[in-house]
Amino acid sequence: MDDRQQQQQRRQAAAQEPPPSVLTILFLLVAVIVIAATVLVPTSFSSTGSPFSTLHQVPEGHVGVYWRGGALLKNITEPGYHLKLPIVTQFEPIQVTLQTDEVKDIPCGTKGGVMISFEKIEVVNRLRKEYVYETLLNYGVEYDKTWIYDKIHHEINQFCSAQTLQQVYIDMFDQIDEKMKDALQVDCTRYAPGIEIISVRVTKPTIPPTIRRNFEQMEEERTKALIAMERQKVAEKEAETQKKIALAEAEKNSQVSKILMEQKLMEKDSARKQQEIENQMYLAREKSLADADYYRMTREAEANKLKLTQEYLELKFIEAIANNTKMFFGDKVPNMIFDQRLLGNIMSDAAKRESI
């Protein structure tokens, strides 16, 4: 009975355990997953992958460069995912877009022996894609240390040693940016043509406190002088403006007077022309009346000449005497009444004078 129970227990345990082939498959599967996690997939998606990784990423704005056994390979890859041999091949992303290198704490001595320090100088530069292999072959991955960081220190000291503190701090400070840019670009073009210097930004240098206070006082005095000059300019502008206003007002008054004078002259001229027209009308009317009177008198004279005959005058005389209501009494009657010959002569003379 004991032997049978032991055999039965062994059979149940054997039935519960998986067959050897399944264990082997599970072990191999776990090993493959571990190898893929450590070899095929990088530890992170950073720009530099693990030396044991095969798959790596080149970020946008960069190119991938490779070393095999310490030798730089000519193969350069574009942004994206790429494969390489693990351990044997090393990879480094190199930026080919604009980048800003900050060079800090640059001490220098001026021509007069004063020590000053530039806190920060920013250099905007770019490595051209077609010169990546040549630049890295000659100067390594840290090419910017040689041609930017160290070069800035050298050029700043060269510049300061040839200038006084007044020139460095005030007079020529606005020219330092361009001078540093030109100096860097000249040597880069000659020795490392792939490096392009875009711009240089230089901060105000730090000078000793006592000298800084002197410069601040000078600046205050200069500011006061500038304020006084600006006030003078403002006063001159205001006076000029007032003068222009007065001239404009005088010109306006002159124009108004001229317009009023022209208006009065036009009115006078119109009145004169109207008077001339009225005079012409009056002369024409008077001339017409005179001509009419002359014509009437001429016609009357002609009519009287034909009408005033001797017989007619004697008849009119007699009619006038007959119509006279005066009575004459006395011994002697006026001879004029009876002297018909004398009366005829008087009437003839009157007729002649009237015709003339």
Side-chain angles (χ1 to χ4, degrees), residues 222-268:
R222 184 179 302 174
T223 303
K224 291 179 181 179
L226 291 175
I227 292 174
M229 292 175 61
E230 290 298 326
R231 287 177 179 173
Q232 183 178 358
K233 290 181 180 179
V234 170
E236 291 176 355
K237 287 292 183 181
E238 290 179 353
E240 185 177 355
T241 303
Q242 294 295 330
K243 181 180 178 181
K244 289 182 178 180
I245 292 173
L247 289 175
E249 189 70 22
E251 185 176 0
K252 183 187 72 174
N253 294 333
S254 175
Q255 293 292 334
V256 171
S257 299
K258 184 178 179 181
I259 292 171
L260 293 177
M261 183 63 68
E262 290 177 353
Q263 183 179 359
K264 290 180 180 180
L265 290 175
M266 291 176 64
E267 291 176 356
K268 293 290 185 182

Side-chain angles (χ1 to χ4, degrees), residues 19-47:
S21 59
V22 175
L23 290 175
T24 303
I25 293 171
L26 290 176
F27 176 78
L28 292 175
L29 182 60
V30 171
V32 169
I33 292 173
V34 171
I35 293 172
T38 57
V39 176
L40 294 179
V41 181
T43 56
S44 65
F45 290 102
S46 61
S47 59

Side-chain angles (χ1 to χ4, degrees), residues 18 22 26 40 43 51 60 69 114 118 131 185 236 245 307 312 334:
V22 175
L26 290 176
L40 294 179
T43 56
E60 188 64 44
V114 180
F118 289 87
Y131 288 94
Q185 189 62 69
E236 291 176 355
I245 292 173
K307 181 178 179 181
Y312 180 76

Side-chain angles (χ1 to χ4, degrees), residues 113 182 235:
D182 295 340

Side-chain angles (χ1 to χ4, degrees), residues 16-273:
Q16 291 177 357
E17 293 179 358
S21 59
V22 175
L23 290 175
T24 303
I25 293 171
L26 290 176
F27 176 78
L28 292 175
L29 182 60
V30 171
V32 169
I33 292 173
V34 171
I35 293 172
T38 57
V39 176
L40 294 179
V41 181
T43 56
S44 65
F45 290 102
S46 61
S47 59
T48 58
S50 170
F52 301 100
S53 65
T54 300
L55 182 66
H56 60 282
Q57 179 189 18
V58 178
E60 188 64 44
H62 295 67
V63 294
V65 294
Y66 304 89
W67 289 262
R68 184 173 299 163
L72 179 66
L73 302 180
K74 292 185 177 181
N75 182 31
I76 296 177
T77 56
E78 298 292 333
Y81 286 103
H82 302 277
L83 297 174
K84 68 178 182 65
L85 294 175
I87 301 175
V88 178
T89 303
Q90 288 78 37
F91 154 75
E92 187 74 27
I94 303 298
Q95 186 174 353
V96 292
T97 55
L98 292 180
Q99 59 181 339
T100 301
D101 294 330
E102 293 185 356
V103 186
K104 298 182 178 180
D105 299 330
I106 308 170
C108 67
T110 64
K111 185 177 181 180
V114 180
M115 290 300 298
I116 62 176
S117 175
F118 289 87
E119 182 180 352
K120 181 176 66 174
I121 296 179
E122 296 179 347
V123 181
V124 181
N125 63 93
R126 175 176 58 188
L127 177 61
R128 296 177 183 175
K129 187 183 297 185
E130 59 271 19
Y131 288 94
V132 170
Y133 175 78
E134 180 182 348
T135 303
L136 267 62
L137 182 65
N138 293 326
Y139 307 107
V141 177
E142 297 183 353
Y143 63 90
D144 51 355
K145 183 180 185 303
T146 302
W147 292 110
I148 294 177
Y149 288 90
D150 295 344
K151 187 67 175 174
I152 280 290
H153 279 268
H154 173 72
E155 293 297 335
I156 284 292
N157 279 274
Q158 287 287 104
F159 176 78
C160 291
S161 62
Q163 312 297 334
T164 63
L165 179 60
Q166 173 73 21
Q167 292 172 327
V168 175
Y169 194 69
I170 296 178
D171 296 341
M172 300 181 64
F173 179 74
D174 58 340
Q175 305 175 20
I176 299 178
D177 294 350
E178 290 298 324
K179 288 183 179 295
M180 292 299 105
K181 176 180 178 298
D182 295 340
L184 292 177
Q185 189 62 69
V186 167
D187 286 345
C188 287
T189 302
R190 183 177 180 181
Y191 299 105
I195 303 174
E196 181 181 3
I197 306 300
I198 307 300
S199 65
V200 176
R201 296 188 293 267
V202 180
T203 58
K204 202 74 171 177
T206 303
I207 62 177
T210 54
I211 300 177
R212 186 177 66 251
R213 282 195 296 271
N214 293 335
F215 277 110
E216 289 175 353
Q217 292 176 358
M218 291 173 56
E219 192 64 27
E220 289 178 1
E221 295 298 327
R222 184 179 302 174
T223 303
K224 291 179 181 179
L226 291 175
I227 292 174
M229 292 175 61
E230 290 298 326
R231 287 177 179 173
Q232 183 178 358
K233 290 181 180 179
V234 170
E236 291 176 355
K237 287 292 183 181
E238 290 179 353
E240 185 177 355
T241 303
Q242 294 295 330
K243 181 180 178 181
K244 289 182 178 180
I245 292 173
L247 289 175
E249 189 70 22
E251 185 176 0
K252 183 187 72 174
N253 294 333
S254 175
Q255 293 292 334
V256 171
S257 299
K258 184 178 179 181
I259 292 171
L260 293 177
M261 183 63 68
E262 290 177 353
Q263 183 179 359
K264 290 180 180 180
L265 290 175
M266 291 176 64
E267 291 176 356
K268 293 290 185 182
D269 188 61
S270 299
R272 180 182 59 81
K273 290 181 179 179

